[in-house]
Amino acid sequence: AQSVTQLGSHVSVSEGALVLLRCNYSSSVPPYLFWYVQYPNQGLQLLLKYTTGATLVKGINGFEAEFKKSETSFHLTKPSAHMSDAAEYFCAGGFKTGANNLFFGTGTRLTVIP
Amino acid sequence: NAGVTQTPKFQVLKTGQSMTLQCAQDMNHEYMSWYRQDPGMGLRLIHYSVGAGITDQGEVPNGYNVSRSTTEDFPLRLLSAAPSQTSVYFCASSRGVSGELFFGEGSRLTVL
């Protein structure tokens, strides 16, 4: 079955520390992959996406993610956390079914400690 | 730019009542969808549409109806509300397959 799994429902980092949020997908065919961010009481906004081509994807706000087919992973990183990064992050996969239906992970809430 | 607009933002219903969540987009996107967000479960697809007059079921369609008479609008109808439908509902749209999904700000529904 096609699915996206996020490891860790809560992650805490100190301000200035590395942010690493984990995402793995389950599919024999590499999917389209996305990271979305959700701030309190708001909708989701796109951080970055992987469709084809370069496996290291750069997004907004200093985030990036690397697509690793051998590990079926698409982990999100940021070298130095900022207080404004505190939010919930969702990994999502589109499995090329002919419609733009995304399968979402269960989310990771990032807390940044001053 | 309005993007994706959802109304109402908050609604409280009693069990058995019906209501419609409205969704409109002004980006001329072919694809529209409805998700529900529940704690610890991420977002789950309810229904989607790939164009006017075409709708299909997602992962959790039971208890919900949709229609797509125009490109811009994609309302979600709850026929007989149940407490299990207490959730935050998001409408999203995109230009096509693999395109970025643009989300509305959500509609928080409580069913008593």
Side-chain angles (χ1 to χ4, degrees):
Chain A
Q2 299 156 340
S3 65
V4 169
T5 302
Q6 291 182 243
L7 299 177
S9 58
H10 291 87
V11 170
S12 293
V13 300
S14 297
E15 190 174 17
L18 172 72
V19 176
L20 170 61
L21 304 182
R22 300 178 186 272
C23 174
N24 289 86
Y25 66 88
S26 173
S27 173
S28 59
V29 176
Y32 306 124
L33 292 165
F34 305 82
W35 276 99
Y36 283 86
V37 61
Q38 183 181 34
Y39 298 102
N41 300 314
Q42 294 188 23
L44 282 72
Q45 62 184 82
L46 183 70
L47 273 180
L48 49 82
K49 71 176 182 180
Y50 168 80
T51 53
T52 58
T55 56
L56 183 62
V57 181
K58 294 188 183 298
I60 62 172
N61 300 338
F63 285 94
E64 63 182 33
E66 186 173 8
F67 174 70
K68 291 187 176 180
K69 184 179 178 181
S70 61
E71 299 178 7
T72 61
S73 69
F74 190 57
H75 301 331
L76 181 71
T77 60
K78 181 174 180 178
S80 177
H82 192 272
M83 295 299 294
S84 61
D85 295 327
E88 189 152 22
Y89 293 80
F90 292 93
C91 182
F95 294 93
K96 304 177 185 177
T97 59
N100 202 20
N101 300 336
L102 298 189
F103 290 81
F104 282 82
T106 52
T108 298
R109 183 168 299 279
L110 176 66
T111 299
V112 182
I113 303 167
Chain B
N1 289 337
V4 179
T5 303
Q6 291 182 232
T7 56
K9 287 185 167 42
F10 300 94
Q11 183 71 50
V12 179
L13 291 178
K14 294 181 180 178
T15 297
Q17 288 184 316
S18 63
M19 76 157 300
T20 299
L21 299 177
Q22 302 290 347
C23 176
Q25 53 91 8
D26 61 359
M27 298 172 282
N28 200 32
H29 286 169
E30 301 94 342
Y31 177 88
M32 296 186 74
S33 54
W34 278 101
Y35 288 85
R36 60 177 288 173
Q37 182 180 23
D38 301 292
M41 303 189 75
L43 281 77
R44 293 179 292 169
L45 182 65
I46 304 172
H47 285 285
Y48 66 96
S49 168
V50 298
I54 306 169
T55 64
D56 207 345
Q57 297 180 351
E59 182 184 0
V60 288
N62 292 342
Y64 308 95
N65 273 359
V66 292
S67 59
R68 183 95 179 270
S69 56
T70 67
T71 299
E72 295 78 19
D73 300 300
F74 191 46
L76 178 72
R77 297 182 184 86
L78 282 71
L79 306 176
S80 178
S84 60
Q85 294 178 304
T86 294
S87 187
V88 181
Y89 292 85
F90 287 98
C91 180
S93 72
S94 73
R95 186 163 299 282
V97 176
S98 84
E100 173 187 354
L101 276 182
F102 291 82
F103 284 84
E105 294 191 346
S107 298
R108 184 175 295 273
L109 175 66
T110 301
V111 182
L112 303 176

